[in-house]
Amino acid sequence: MKNSIEIDQIVDTATRLFAELGYDGTSLGMIGDALGVPVSTITDVAGNKRQLYLTVMQRAFEAEWAALKTAADSCPPGRECVHHIADAYLDFHVSHPYIRALWAHRWVADAADIVDLEDRYPRLLFRMVAQKTRDAVPDRVNVYYMLGMMVWTVHGFLGSGVLARRRGMLRTDHPKVVSDFRTHLHLMLEGMMTSDQ
């Protein structure tokens, strides 16, 4: 049995289990078993299950914030900025499937007793991106709805893939599938930003 364990090891394992099973479906015992330590070690280092979940979500937010802030800070002018940020958002979630899964669980009422995460995290991301892209979006388009559609589309695609033309599903682990989706994501966003009434 391990006598010493770092907070990062606990958070990484908890992130994986919360992403796979949801907050409600994961116990501290499961996290301890995955790490080979007793629950008391988990609580001594990372706190109770709620505190650990909040740490997981905080770190997930910080990673996403860093990626989108970098994209926003390096935005080309005009509508290209929206596309640039959409690419960064898609690439982030393709490479961080556990973070997408954490939020997917939230959207089906996982951890329902923790009520303010959407205001603490996604709202800040939306606000930052909306401020950066607002001037590129026509007045008739609500920038929050446009960003929401980007989020829903990306998460829906990454969660389910796309029906193949003849049979089966096209999954997101294939670069060509992601590339084709990216093209259509850009078409959707460009359609919303086109100034024609």
Side-chain angles (χ1 to χ4, degrees):
M1 182 190 316
K2 299 174 185 174
N3 293 324
S4 174
I5 193 160
E6 300 292 327
I7 183 70
D8 288 346
Q9 294 172 273
I10 296 173
V11 171
D12 288 347
T13 300
T15 298
R16 178 176 58 82
L17 288 172
F18 288 146
E20 291 173 354
L21 305 172
Y23 173 81
D24 297 332
T26 302
S27 69
L28 286 181
M30 292 175 180
I31 296 168
D33 287 347
L35 289 164
V37 300
V39 168
S40 59
T41 299
I42 304 291
T43 56
D44 287 348
V45 175
N48 63 28
K49 180 178 159 181
R50 180 188 177 95
Q51 291 166 323
L52 179 54
Y53 180 73
L54 291 174
T55 300
V56 164
M57 297 306 282
Q58 173 71 31
R59 289 196 182 186
F61 163 74
E62 288 169 358
E64 191 170 358
W65 175 271
L68 291 182
K69 183 74 164 64
T70 297
D73 289 346
S74 62
C75 253
R79 296 198 309 245
E80 284 306 308
C81 182
V82 174
H83 295 294
H84 181 72
I85 288 173
D87 282 340
Y89 187 79
L90 174 60
D91 292 340
F92 177 83
H93 283 288
V94 165
S95 62
H96 294 83
Y98 287 147
I99 293 178
R100 184 204 63 78
L102 288 169
W103 286 106
H105 282 290
R106 288 283 302 169
W107 296 335
V108 292
D110 187 50
D113 58 318
I114 303 174
V115 296
D116 64 342
L117 291 185
E118 286 70 21
D119 283 328
R120 282 157 89 182
Y121 301 136
R123 184 175 300 282
L124 296 179
L125 291 167
F126 266 58
R127 186 175 296 142
M128 185 246 310
V129 173
Q131 289 172 350
K132 189 69 180 184
T133 59
R134 186 169 280 120
D135 291 343
V137 178
D139 290 341
R140 65 184 172 78
V141 176
N142 181 318
V143 71
Y144 272 70
Y145 273 87
M146 185 186 76
L147 294 174
M149 290 178 73
M150 178 190 77
V151 168
W152 306 327
T153 303
V154 166
H155 283 267
F157 166 69
L158 294 177
S160 64
V162 175
L163 279 171
R165 186 180 298 272
R166 296 186 191 282
R167 184 175 198 171
M169 297 293 293
L170 301 175
R171 298 293 179 188
T172 61
D173 57 355
H174 194 290
K176 173 78 163 68
V177 174
V178 175
S179 176
D180 289 347
F181 171 79
R182 187 187 309 274
T183 297
H184 285 82
L185 178 65
H186 284 287
L187 287 171
M188 180 189 79
L189 293 169
E190 189 64 26
M192 283 187 278
M193 292 185 292
T194 299
S195 59
D196 294 343
Q197 298 294 326

